[in-house]
Amino acid sequence: MIYKHITQLNIHQDVIVPCRKGQLDHLSQYTTVKDPDFNGEFSTVQMLYGAEDNRVYLLGLGEEKDAVNIDDAFRKLSFDYKKYWKEPVQIITEGFSDAELRKVVIGLEMSAYNIGAFKSKKEQEGAITFEIVNSQDVTALLEESQAIGATINRIKTLVDAPANQKTPEFLGQWAQASAHDANYTCTVLHKKELEAQGFHAVLAVGQGSVNSPVVIVTQYMPKKGMAVDIGLVGKGITFDTGGLSIKPSTNLHYMKSDMGGAAVVLGVVELVAKLKLNVNVVGVVASAENAVDSNSYRPGDVINSYSGKSIEIIDTDAEGRLILADGLNYIIKEFQPKQVIDLATLTGSVVQTLGYSAAGMFTNNTEMAQNLSKIGFEINERVWPLPLFSDFDSDLHSDIADLRNFSGKPIAGATTAAKFLEAFTEEHQAWMHLDIAGVSFGDSKYAKMKSASGYGVQLMVNYIKSISEN
């Protein structure tokens, strides 16, 4: 997609005219149709013709409550009609706030996402030019918004990729290429380095796979010699069979998406670097494939961890928390970030609790929780607080190790997973865990099968922006 800022409408070209519900007086400027049979209901579209036989797309923005979803209205319009757009399309944005205009461009950019990357016959789509009509100079805003939308598409491509292509090593190569292009640093720790440095939990999870685990460390540090403002940790299970505690076959093919948290971390560090935000960020992705093999780790095993704590394995399908435990402990000890946030498609329990409407947020830091929650509601990437009560400590008791990886109880699964992670945070006062299992991957109007949503990139980047501005 190409975005250009213009100040004057060309009446000979096609134009998109956004309309808030019941506010249609301005339509006479763009079409001679006196009664367009259109009231501005959210995401409704009415295509008319202007005085010069140009197409006029009336796009409903709905009511005030629909404002957070403006991006989806533009995405759906572009997704449905882009095959007809051979010439530049104008968009009326006069009176839009910066946040609204950002949503317009992000939605349009996301409409360009092509999920059929592995099809033998691909539809060739030319770049569409959108001319943003606005009396203010919005060029910089357009560039930033396009970068955000493009990064969301890049991480969706990662999440939707099949596991035979998307190995842990592939994620490492992706990160190294990204670091080269966006001017940040990336180090990939392979098996020998993981063994030498003591990433025992990561190695245990990955030992049953022919694809060896890696830990990816990305750093964007514009403030030389200063502390790390925020550390991000992502779960990068490139395929999750459940291990010897094997999952049922139903929907097992979707377990290629179990690296959704890793994708967010990789995308956010890349985007922060592209936007040149004045904030020191470190991202750590612990990546492995949880496979079934004669060498797989077993229920009943006791493994070590980067922290030095021993872990009794109750369920090999509770593997994400194991690699996150190593990633969290590593980033805290190695970089001492002021804040730490981990993201993971961690539990089915959080989906049972919150459905597909919000991520589960676990933290004892009230300020972080309030700030992230506010940002999430503003951009419709919502989070919802869930407890870290000490009542659940006993659920992780082990007679033979420091703790166990699974409570075995059919209740509070998301909380006990978060409590497990908490044990590896060195009592960090600004740690947060986001369980994104219900929002990272699912049903969509843009695909016939479940697919990546792109959740988390805007949420984290906007949060990091708020840090850089303070």
Side-chain angles (χ1 to χ4, degrees):
M1 303 293 194
I2 300 169
Y3 304 90
K4 296 181 179 179
H5 170 239
I6 61 174
T7 56
Q8 297 293 325
L9 179 71
N10 183 342
I11 62 172
H12 299 281
Q13 289 180 200
D14 292 353
V15 60
I16 298 171
V17 183
C19 306
R20 304 185 195 278
K21 186 175 180 180
Q23 301 177 26
L24 309 177
D25 293 342
H26 63 305
L27 295 187
S28 59
Q29 303 174 51
Y30 309 105
T31 178
T32 57
V33 177
K34 293 182 178 180
D35 185 7
D37 194 24
F38 178 81
N39 68 355
E41 286 281 356
F42 180 73
S43 202
T44 55
V45 178
Q46 179 73 286
M47 199 273 283
L48 306 172
Y49 284 91
E52 302 297 325
D53 290 333
N54 60 315
R55 295 186 184 93
V56 178
Y57 298 91
L58 308 183
L59 174 61
L61 301 186
E63 304 172 46
E64 186 64 31
K65 64 182 176 64
D66 300 309
V68 295
N69 294 313
I70 286 177
D71 51 343
D72 197 51
F74 278 89
R75 179 183 177 188
K76 184 68 166 60
L77 171 67
S78 179
F79 184 83
D80 290 342
Y81 287 91
K82 62 184 178 179
K83 58 182 172 287
Y84 305 117
W85 294 340
K86 309 303 180 186
E87 301 295 330
V89 177
Q90 302 169 105
I91 305 175
I92 305 298
T93 62
E94 195 65 41
F96 275 38
S97 67
D98 286 356
E100 289 172 330
L101 184 51
R102 185 178 291 109
K103 284 180 174 292
V104 169
V105 176
I106 291 172
L108 293 171
E109 193 68 23
M110 288 180 69
S111 74
Y113 177 66
N114 178 18
I115 198 172
F118 293 91
K119 289 182 180 289
S120 58
K121 293 182 179 180
K122 300 180 178 65
E123 294 183 11
Q124 298 298 320
E125 293 183 351
I128 300 170
T129 298
F130 292 104
E131 295 179 342
I132 309 301
V133 185
N134 199 298
S135 60
Q136 304 296 314
D137 185 0
V138 295
T139 304
L141 183 58
L142 298 182
E143 292 174 354
E144 175 186 312
S145 305
Q146 183 177 21
I148 296 170
T151 299
I152 292 171
N153 286 344
R154 276 172 57 76
I155 73 146
K156 288 177 63 180
T157 300
L158 272 182
V159 176
D160 285 328
N164 62 323
Q165 304 281 337
K166 179 185 56 188
T167 62
E169 181 65 28
F170 177 89
L171 289 186
Q173 293 170 354
W174 188 100
Q176 288 175 322
S178 168
H180 178 269
D181 293 342
N183 196 29
Y184 63 94
T185 62
C186 174
T187 302
V188 180
L189 305 177
H190 296 91
K191 187 176 180 180
K192 287 185 178 180
E193 291 114 328
L194 298 180
E195 290 172 340
Q197 295 190 38
F199 286 88
H200 303 291
V202 174
L203 288 163
V205 172
Q207 70 188 36
S209 174
V210 67
N211 298 306
S212 296
V214 302
V215 169
I216 304 163
V217 183
T218 55
Q219 300 179 59
Y220 173 68
M221 306 282 280
K223 300 189 293 184
K224 304 301 181 185
M226 298 184 69
V228 175
D229 295 296
I230 187 166
L232 303 174
V233 181
K235 171 189 171 184
I237 297 294
T238 56
F239 192 79
D240 184 16
T241 66
L244 294 180
S245 306
I246 195 164
K247 294 177 181 289
S249 62
T250 303
N251 291 331
L252 186 59
H253 55 293
Y254 288 137
M255 286 300 99
K256 66 182 182 180
S257 69
D258 209 19
M259 39 60 69
V264 175
V265 171
L266 293 175
V268 167
V269 176
E270 174 184 278
L271 185 54
V272 167
K274 285 182 176 179
L275 298 180
K276 295 180 170 58
L277 299 185
N278 189 36
V279 59
N280 286 351
V281 180
V282 173
V284 170
V285 165
S287 182
E289 183 176 39
N290 190 21
V292 178
D293 182 76
S294 61
N295 197 42
S296 297
Y297 74 131
R298 298 164 289 261
D301 284 359
V302 173
I303 65 171
N304 207 337
S305 65
Y306 186 89
S307 70
K309 292 181 178 178
S310 58
I311 306 166
E312 181 184 7
I313 303 303
I314 305 300
D315 191 324
T316 62
D317 195 23
E319 85 300 329
R321 66 199 67 183
L322 299 175
I323 65 171
L324 281 174
D326 274 2
L328 278 167
N329 202 254
Y330 169 77
I331 202 171
I332 290 169
K333 287 181 176 176
E334 186 72 16
F335 295 100
Q336 299 88 44
K338 297 177 184 177
Q339 297 185 29
V340 183
I341 299 178
D342 74 76
L343 301 99
T345 50
L346 203 60
T347 68
S349 173
V350 80
V351 184
Q352 292 175 319
T353 304
L354 300 174
Y356 305 101
S357 61
M361 175 177 63
F362 299 84
T363 185
N364 289 318
N365 189 301
T366 304
E367 183 180 0
M368 286 180 70
Q370 290 176 342
N371 291 344
L372 193 71
S373 182
K374 179 176 181 293
I375 290 168
F377 275 88
E378 288 172 349
I379 62 171
N380 202 35
E381 291 192 357
R382 293 171 294 195
V383 297
W384 196 257
L386 293 173
L388 283 170
F389 299 149
S390 60
D391 307 49
F392 296 99
D393 289 345
S394 60
D395 288 340
L396 299 175
H397 169 80
S398 169
D399 286 342
I400 63 173
D402 292 324
L403 71 170
R404 57 179 173 173
N405 77 325
F406 184 64
S407 72
K409 295 180 179 180
I411 58 172
T415 289
T416 53
K419 290 296 291 184
F420 178 88
L421 297 179
E422 185 182 38
F424 298 88
T425 61
E426 304 294 320
E427 299 183 348
H428 197 292
Q429 297 302 299
W431 162 70
M432 175 185 289
H433 162 59
L434 295 178
D435 192 337
I436 62 173
V439 290
S440 173
F441 189 87
D443 294 325
S444 164
K445 68 187 78 170
Y446 305 102
K448 294 180 179 179
M449 300 171 68
K450 293 180 186 295
S451 60
S453 69
Y455 178 99
V457 172
Q458 291 186 76
L459 179 68
M460 286 294 99
V461 169
N462 284 17
Y463 182 75
I464 291 170
K465 274 185 176 181
S466 72
I467 293 174
S468 67
E469 292 165 359
N470 292 333

mmCIF file of all heavy atoms in Angstrom, residues 322-343:
data_model
loop_
_atom_site.group_PDB
_atom_site.id
_atom_site.type_symbol
_atom_site.label_atom_id
_atom_site.label_comp_id
_atom_site.label_asym_id
_atom_site.label_seq_id
_atom_site.Cartn_x
_atom_site.Cartn_y
_atom_site.Cartn_z
ATOM 1 N N LEU A 322 7.674 -23.486 31.171
ATOM 2 C CA LEU A 322 9.050 -23.909 31.433
ATOM 3 C C LEU A 322 10.051 -23.046 30.666
ATOM 4 O O LEU A 322 11.033 -22.557 31.228
ATOM 5 C CB LEU A 322 9.230 -25.380 31.069
ATOM 6 C CG LEU A 322 8.372 -26.384 31.843
ATOM 7 C CD1 LEU A 322 8.574 -27.796 31.293
ATOM 8 C CD2 LEU A 322 8.697 -26.341 33.329
ATOM 9 N N ILE A 323 9.789 -22.856 29.383
ATOM 10 C CA ILE A 323 10.737 -22.044 28.603
ATOM 11 C C ILE A 323 10.646 -20.567 29.004
ATOM 12 O O ILE A 323 11.651 -19.857 28.994
ATOM 13 C CB ILE A 323 10.545 -22.231 27.083
ATOM 14 C CG1 ILE A 323 9.191 -21.715 26.587
ATOM 15 C CG2 ILE A 323 10.715 -23.695 26.685
ATOM 16 C CD1 ILE A 323 9.081 -21.688 25.076
ATOM 17 N N LEU A 324 9.439 -20.130 29.367
ATOM 18 C CA LEU A 324 9.298 -18.753 29.850
ATOM 19 C C LEU A 324 10.044 -18.548 31.162
ATOM 20 O O LEU A 324 10.607 -17.469 31.411
ATOM 21 C CB LEU A 324 7.824 -18.409 30.047
ATOM 22 C CG LEU A 324 7.010 -18.051 28.806
ATOM 23 C CD1 LEU A 324 5.543 -17.881 29.183
ATOM 24 C CD2 LEU A 324 7.530 -16.784 28.142
ATOM 25 N N ALA A 325 10.054 -19.574 32.025
ATOM 26 C CA ALA A 325 10.763 -19.470 33.301
ATOM 27 C C ALA A 325 12.238 -19.165 33.062
ATOM 28 O O ALA A 325 12.829 -18.290 33.718
ATOM 29 C CB ALA A 325 10.608 -20.763 34.093
ATOM 30 N N ASP A 326 12.841 -19.864 32.104
ATOM 31 C CA ASP A 326 14.244 -19.594 31.770
ATOM 32 C C ASP A 326 14.407 -18.211 31.156
ATOM 33 O O ASP A 326 15.333 -17.470 31.500
ATOM 34 C CB ASP A 326 14.770 -20.651 30.802
ATOM 35 C CG ASP A 326 15.294 -21.890 31.521
ATOM 36 O OD1 ASP A 326 15.216 -21.948 32.754
ATOM 37 O OD2 ASP A 326 15.788 -22.810 30.824
ATOM 38 N N GLY A 327 13.505 -17.849 30.248
ATOM 39 C CA GLY A 327 13.596 -16.542 29.596
ATOM 40 C C GLY A 327 13.441 -15.393 30.577
ATOM 41 O O GLY A 327 14.186 -14.406 30.522
ATOM 42 N N LEU A 328 12.484 -15.508 31.476
ATOM 43 C CA LEU A 328 12.257 -14.457 32.476
ATOM 44 C C LEU A 328 13.444 -14.317 33.411
ATOM 45 O O LEU A 328 13.928 -13.208 33.672
ATOM 46 C CB LEU A 328 11.004 -14.775 33.289
ATOM 47 C CG LEU A 328 9.658 -14.409 32.679
ATOM 48 C CD1 LEU A 328 8.525 -15.062 33.449
ATOM 49 C CD2 LEU A 328 9.471 -12.898 32.645
ATOM 50 N N ASN A 329 13.932 -15.430 33.909
ATOM 51 C CA ASN A 329 15.029 -15.364 34.864
ATOM 52 C C ASN A 329 16.297 -14.821 34.200
ATOM 53 O O ASN A 329 17.045 -14.035 34.807
ATOM 54 C CB ASN A 329 15.289 -16.744 35.459
ATOM 55 C CG ASN A 329 16.005 -16.661 36.779
ATOM 56 O OD1 ASN A 329 17.192 -16.950 36.870
ATOM 57 N ND2 ASN A 329 15.305 -16.234 37.830
ATOM 58 N N TYR A 330 16.489 -15.207 32.948
ATOM 59 C CA TYR A 330 17.656 -14.717 32.198
ATOM 60 C C TYR A 330 17.596 -13.205 31.999
ATOM 61 O O TYR A 330 18.564 -12.489 32.268
ATOM 62 C CB TYR A 330 17.731 -15.425 30.845
ATOM 63 C CG TYR A 330 18.729 -14.817 29.886
ATOM 64 C CD1 TYR A 330 20.092 -15.052 30.030
ATOM 65 C CD2 TYR A 330 18.302 -14.005 28.831
ATOM 66 C CE1 TYR A 330 21.010 -14.495 29.146
ATOM 67 C CE2 TYR A 330 19.208 -13.449 27.952
ATOM 68 C CZ TYR A 330 20.556 -13.695 28.122
ATOM 69 O OH TYR A 330 21.466 -13.126 27.250
ATOM 70 N N ILE A 331 16.461 -12.685 31.534
ATOM 71 C CA ILE A 331 16.380 -11.259 31.221
ATOM 72 C C ILE A 331 16.505 -10.411 32.486
ATOM 73 O O ILE A 331 17.111 -9.335 32.469
ATOM 74 C CB ILE A 331 15.087 -10.929 30.439
ATOM 75 C CG1 ILE A 331 15.252 -9.613 29.668
ATOM 76 C CG2 ILE A 331 13.876 -10.849 31.353
ATOM 77 C CD1 ILE A 331 14.110 -9.317 28.698
ATOM 78 N N ILE A 332 15.971 -10.906 33.587
ATOM 79 C CA ILE A 332 16.033 -10.150 34.849
ATOM 80 C C ILE A 332 17.458 -10.127 35.396
ATOM 81 O O ILE A 332 17.968 -9.077 35.814
ATOM 82 C CB ILE A 332 15.041 -10.737 35.864
ATOM 83 C CG1 ILE A 332 13.603 -10.426 35.426
ATOM 84 C CG2 ILE A 332 15.296 -10.171 37.262
ATOM 85 C CD1 ILE A 332 12.539 -11.179 36.206
ATOM 86 N N LYS A 333 18.119 -11.270 35.357
ATOM 87 C CA LYS A 333 19.485 -11.328 35.895
ATOM 88 C C LYS A 333 20.504 -10.661 34.974
ATOM 89 O O LYS A 333 21.444 -10.005 35.430
ATOM 90 C CB LYS A 333 19.877 -12.785 36.136
ATOM 91 C CG LYS A 333 19.188 -13.420 37.329
ATOM 92 C CD LYS A 333 19.631 -14.861 37.521
ATOM 93 C CE LYS A 333 19.017 -15.467 38.779
ATOM 94 N NZ LYS A 333 19.370 -16.909 38.924
ATOM 95 N N GLU A 334 20.326 -10.824 33.690
ATOM 96 C CA GLU A 334 21.325 -10.336 32.730
ATOM 97 C C GLU A 334 21.181 -8.853 32.437
ATOM 98 O O GLU A 334 22.175 -8.154 32.226
ATOM 99 C CB GLU A 334 21.209 -11.144 31.430
ATOM 100 C CG GLU A 334 22.282 -10.856 30.393
ATOM 101 C CD GLU A 334 23.651 -11.399 30.774
ATOM 102 O OE1 GLU A 334 23.731 -12.253 31.682
ATOM 103 O OE2 GLU A 334 24.646 -10.966 30.159
ATOM 104 N N PHE A 335 19.935 -8.329 32.414
ATOM 105 C CA PHE A 335 19.716 -6.962 31.952
ATOM 106 C C PHE A 335 19.091 -6.037 32.994
ATOM 107 O O PHE A 335 19.056 -4.824 32.785
ATOM 108 C CB PHE A 335 18.833 -6.979 30.693
ATOM 109 C CG PHE A 335 19.480 -7.649 29.514
ATOM 110 C CD1 PHE A 335 19.159 -8.956 29.181
ATOM 111 C CD2 PHE A 335 20.419 -6.983 28.747
ATOM 112 C CE1 PHE A 335 19.754 -9.584 28.098
ATOM 113 C CE2 PHE A 335 21.017 -7.591 27.655
ATOM 114 C CZ PHE A 335 20.690 -8.904 27.330
ATOM 115 N N GLN A 336 18.570 -6.571 34.071
ATOM 116 C CA GLN A 336 17.946 -5.775 35.131
ATOM 117 C C GLN A 336 16.985 -4.700 34.582
ATOM 118 O O GLN A 336 17.112 -3.507 34.897
ATOM 119 C CB GLN A 336 19.003 -5.091 36.015
ATOM 120 C CG GLN A 336 19.941 -6.025 36.739
ATOM 121 C CD GLN A 336 21.166 -6.383 35.910
ATOM 122 O OE1 GLN A 336 21.780 -5.529 35.287
ATOM 123 N NE2 GLN A 336 21.551 -7.645 35.911
ATOM 124 N N PRO A 337 16.025 -5.082 33.758
ATOM 125 C CA PRO A 337 15.093 -4.086 33.213
ATOM 126 C C PRO A 337 14.214 -3.486 34.298
ATOM 127 O O PRO A 337 13.880 -4.145 35.281
ATOM 128 C CB PRO A 337 14.259 -4.882 32.206
ATOM 129 C CG PRO A 337 14.345 -6.296 32.682
ATOM 130 C CD PRO A 337 15.690 -6.453 33.317
ATOM 131 N N LYS A 338 13.835 -2.207 34.099
ATOM 132 C CA LYS A 338 12.950 -1.558 35.065
ATOM 133 C C LYS A 338 11.578 -2.222 35.106
ATOM 134 O O LYS A 338 10.945 -2.305 36.156
ATOM 135 C CB LYS A 338 12.801 -0.074 34.712
ATOM 136 C CG LYS A 338 14.086 0.735 34.793
ATOM 137 C CD LYS A 338 13.824 2.171 34.346
ATOM 138 C CE LYS A 338 15.094 2.995 34.327
ATOM 139 N NZ LYS A 338 14.834 4.379 33.824
ATOM 140 N N GLN A 339 11.104 -2.637 33.930
ATOM 141 C CA GLN A 339 9.829 -3.341 33.840
ATOM 142 C C GLN A 339 10.023 -4.596 32.993
ATOM 143 O O GLN A 339 10.864 -4.617 32.089
ATOM 144 C CB GLN A 339 8.746 -2.460 33.197
ATOM 145 C CG GLN A 339 8.394 -1.212 33.984
ATOM 146 C CD GLN A 339 7.232 -0.446 33.358
ATOM 147 O OE1 GLN A 339 6.358 -1.028 32.702
ATOM 148 N NE2 GLN A 339 7.198 0.857 33.576
ATOM 149 N N VAL A 340 9.242 -5.618 33.277
ATOM 150 C CA VAL A 340 9.297 -6.863 32.519
ATOM 151 C C VAL A 340 7.869 -7.288 32.180
ATOM 152 O O VAL A 340 7.007 -7.344 33.065
ATOM 153 C CB VAL A 340 9.977 -7.992 33.316
ATOM 154 C CG1 VAL A 340 10.076 -9.258 32.456
ATOM 155 C CG2 VAL A 340 11.345 -7.580 33.806
ATOM 156 N N ILE A 341 7.641 -7.588 30.914
ATOM 157 C CA ILE A 341 6.340 -8.109 30.483
ATOM 158 C C ILE A 341 6.585 -9.351 29.646
ATOM 159 O O ILE A 341 7.375 -9.316 28.693
ATOM 160 C CB ILE A 341 5.534 -7.076 29.667
ATOM 161 C CG1 ILE A 341 5.254 -5.821 30.503
ATOM 162 C CG2 ILE A 341 4.220 -7.691 29.183
ATOM 163 C CD1 ILE A 341 4.509 -4.731 29.748
ATOM 164 N N ASP A 342 5.953 -10.452 30.006
ATOM 165 C CA ASP A 342 6.015 -11.637 29.147
ATOM 166 C C ASP A 342 4.661 -11.849 28.490
ATOM 167 O O ASP A 342 3.612 -11.521 29.045
ATOM 168 C CB ASP A 342 6.459 -12.870 29.928
ATOM 169 C CG ASP A 342 5.389 -13.434 30.850
ATOM 170 O OD1 ASP A 342 4.462 -14.091 30.343
ATOM 171 O OD2 ASP A 342 5.477 -13.206 32.075
ATOM 172 N N LEU A 343 4.703 -12.377 27.283
ATOM 173 C CA LEU A 343 3.494 -12.644 26.501
ATOM 174 C C LEU A 343 3.534 -14.080 26.025
ATOM 175 O O LEU A 343 4.555 -14.542 25.496
ATOM 176 C CB LEU A 343 3.387 -11.715 25.290
ATOM 177 C CG LEU A 343 3.347 -10.214 25.567
ATOM 178 C CD1 LEU A 343 4.724 -9.602 25.355
ATOM 179 C CD2 LEU A 343 2.333 -9.520 24.676
#
